Amino acid sequence: MSRRSVREFSNKPLKVEQLSELLFASYGITGKEIHQMLRSAPSAGTLYPFDIFVVINNVKEIQPGIYLYDAFTHSIKSIKKGNFGKRISEAALGQEFLESAAVVFVLSAVPDRMTNRYGERGWRYIYMEAGHISQNIYLEAVSLKLGSVSVGAFIDEEIDGLFGFDGIKEKVLYLHAVGDIQ
């Protein structure tokens, strides 16, 4: 009942533990079925077409930059160091809260993981899964007393370019900002 889209964040940094819980809720490994690892978000055919990146703007003990979430080790790997909040904000049509959020989750899809099995219908499942992941982030943010908002309005080529994606083999589909509101 408390889930709301929040676009104003304080400058208070997130704790590493909060980021960890948000990452786990987004796409963490929750179990195993036969030889397949299961995650916190459902996926058609357990194919999991997403990679979860985080643009860290303000998290204690973690340098600002772009990181890739590894669900198998529940860790993040540094991709690029630096402050990318302004670039994300500009590529998202000037939505300044992306710069002031402590973190921005970047949901990128590798379509072949889904379309190789389901053909063009796989795209439907990819979009559904983006919603599942984002809703998990929303709900975990509420449980941590943080604010969050999903963002679909951005210039694809600019966001994809920042991550080195060609927009075909891998492309960003959704952004999700999280930050402290107290």
Side-chain angles (χ1 to χ4, degrees):
M1 297 209 23
S2 300
R3 200 243 15 106
R4 298 288 179 269
S5 294
V6 175
R7 291 175 180 83
E8 291 183 26
F9 304 105
S10 76
N11 61 1
K12 182 179 174 186
L14 287 190
K15 297 174 186 168
V16 171
E17 296 80 14
Q18 291 172 308
L19 176 60
S20 175
E21 290 181 40
L22 289 159
L23 285 164
F24 183 80
S26 73
Y27 222 43
I29 303 291
T30 59
K32 185 176 181 179
E33 185 176 282
I34 307 173
H35 299 292
Q36 181 65 44
M37 302 307 277
L38 304 175
R39 298 183 187 222
S40 57
S43 181
T46 61
L47 296 175
Y48 303 108
F50 279 88
D51 290 328
I52 308 298
F53 291 84
V54 283
V55 175
I56 294 183
N57 294 325
N58 192 9
V59 176
K60 287 182 182 177
E61 302 173 30
I62 302 178
Q63 289 184 325
I66 297 173
Y67 295 80
L68 173 63
Y69 177 53
D70 181 341
F72 296 99
T73 61
H74 189 60
S75 62
I76 56 175
K77 176 186 174 192
S78 177
I79 303 300
K80 293 181 183 179
K81 298 282 189 207
N83 295 310
F84 294 97
K86 186 168 181 62
R87 281 187 64 187
I88 293 282
S89 173
E90 289 171 352
L93 311 174
Q95 296 180 76
E96 294 176 358
F97 60 84
L98 291 166
E99 188 174 356
S100 63
V103 296
V104 177
F105 285 78
V106 179
L107 283 57
S108 72
V110 180
D112 283 353
R113 293 181 192 164
M114 194 66 75
T115 58
N116 283 344
R117 180 181 293 177
Y118 296 113
E120 284 303 305
R121 188 169 191 83
W123 277 102
R124 180 181 303 198
Y125 304 141
I126 289 169
Y127 295 132
M128 287 178 189
E129 191 167 327
H132 301 320
I133 295 167
S134 187
Q135 185 69 8
N136 283 356
I137 296 167
Y138 266 121
L139 295 175
E140 187 62 29
V142 168
S143 77
L144 295 170
K145 298 183 177 23
L146 301 171
S148 73
V149 63
S150 57
V151 176
F154 52 85
I155 300 166
D156 294 26
E157 297 80 13
E158 288 185 27
I159 296 287
D160 285 342
L162 178 60
F163 289 84
F165 303 148
D166 64 2
I168 298 168
K169 291 182 182 175
E170 187 158 9
K171 71 181 290 75
V172 175
L173 291 183
Y174 222 10
L175 306 175
H176 198 117
V178 179
D180 192 83
I181 53 176
Q182 300 173 10

